[in-house]
Amino acid sequence: MGIRLIVEVLTSAPEALTHREKLLLVVLAEDANDDTRVTWNSVERPEVLRGAKLSRSQLYAVLKSLTAKGALKKLAAGQKNGTAKYKISEFPESQRLGNRDTETPSQRPGTPDTDHSQYPGNADTEPNRQCQENADTETAQCQEIRDVSVPESGTPTPLNPSTTTPLASKRESAQQPDGYGIPDEARPLVDGITAAGVYVRWPFKGNAWFPILSMIAKSGVPAMVDHALKAAARTNVESANYFLKGWRELPPQPVPGAGRPQLRAVAGGYQPYRDPTDESVYDKDL
């Protein structure tokens, strides 16, 4: 399992990739070796199709697109006794984690500004056009012309409405999205853990949700919620990051149509236990 490779795909994959292409690349990175970058198992596995949310025909179309964009290389075709092998390309060094910023030092905090005209001791060279002795060329701001933003009562509209005004409350509600950054596919997992009384932080943003969405498609929300509750019962958990290792090791969901094994019927059917009517059996040394 390539955890480091997943992070590299999320942070350094080509910008030209679509969401579908990037999600498939993350699923393949989870199966690939961190060092060789080569996939271990078949790309046609049900776990891959569920994790990438693709049909088999769509899978090969996206694989072809990833290969054309240089994000994936096909090393070997699938054969009777072997599966196809794909290698995740090495992305440019400038986009990987740990590389220092190549930005010129002129804009760093410790570098003084080269614009001397803005120093505190320098006078402003712009003429003071708004002083009372300078006429304002905008007639709407002249004292003799009433400001249309001020009602007849003379009370102007406040520039910063208080939180009790309808305008302010409307703006606050617009700034708070319903999902709070949580994808729709992950909402049942978050709600299930929270509803059970386990309150943890979810420090995932943007592409960081992709591995969790892949695990949801692989193992299902009920299994992940059950694992989280058991883990939280053993120790104090503050962040959902604590559950990631256990979630990755959960088994995949059973294939459609799979049921419990048939039990062999006992001859005569089930008979409940009854005390013997002959009490002399208790006198025997059993």
Side-chain angles (χ1 to χ4, degrees), residues 4 27 86 88 94 103 120 126 139 161 167 189 209 266 283:
R4 178 179 60 80
V27 174
Y86 288 86
I88 298 176
S94 60
E103 184 180 1
E126 183 179 0
T139 57
L167 179 60
L189 175 65
W209 283 99
V266 180
D283 298 333

Side-chain angles (χ1 to χ4, degrees), residues 100-108:
R100 302 183 63 181
D101 199 340
T102 56
E103 184 180 1
T104 57
S106 60
Q107 297 300 321
R108 294 181 181 175

Side-chain angles (χ1 to χ4, degrees), residues 135-259:
D136 196 332
T137 55
E138 186 178 355
T139 57
Q141 298 301 322
C142 296
Q143 295 182 358
E144 61 272 12
I145 299 178
R146 187 181 66 84
D147 193 339
V148 295
S149 64
V150 180
E152 294 293 341
S153 62
T155 303
T157 302
L159 296 178
N160 297 317
S162 65
T163 56
T164 58
T165 61
L167 179 60
S169 60
K170 184 176 181 181
R171 287 178 179 175
E172 289 181 358
S173 62
Q175 294 174 356
Q176 297 291 343
D178 294 337
Y180 292 92
I182 302 175
D184 294 338
E185 296 85 348
R187 173 58 70 177
L189 175 65
V190 177
D191 292 346
I193 295 176
T194 305
V198 177
Y199 303 99
V200 295
R201 294 181 292 105
W202 294 85
F204 310 106
K205 296 181 180 179
N207 293 339
W209 283 99
F210 278 144
I212 297 180
L213 298 181
S214 176
M215 297 173 201
I216 292 175
K218 169 191 170 188
S219 302
V221 170
M224 296 174 68
V225 171
D226 181 71
H227 171 79
L229 298 184
K230 291 178 180 177
R234 294 191 299 266
T235 183
N236 183 27
V237 181
E238 296 183 355
S239 172
N241 273 318
Y242 182 84
F243 305 132
L244 292 182
K245 184 177 183 299
W247 283 343
R248 293 189 185 98
E249 297 174 355
L250 290 175
Q253 300 183 71
V255 297

Side-chain angles (χ1 to χ4, degrees), residues 78-95:
Q79 299 177 358
K80 183 177 181 180
N81 298 325
T83 60
K85 295 294 182 181
Y86 288 86
K87 179 179 180 181
I88 298 176
S89 302
E90 296 186 3
F91 306 118
E93 293 289 340
S94 60
Q95 295 183 3

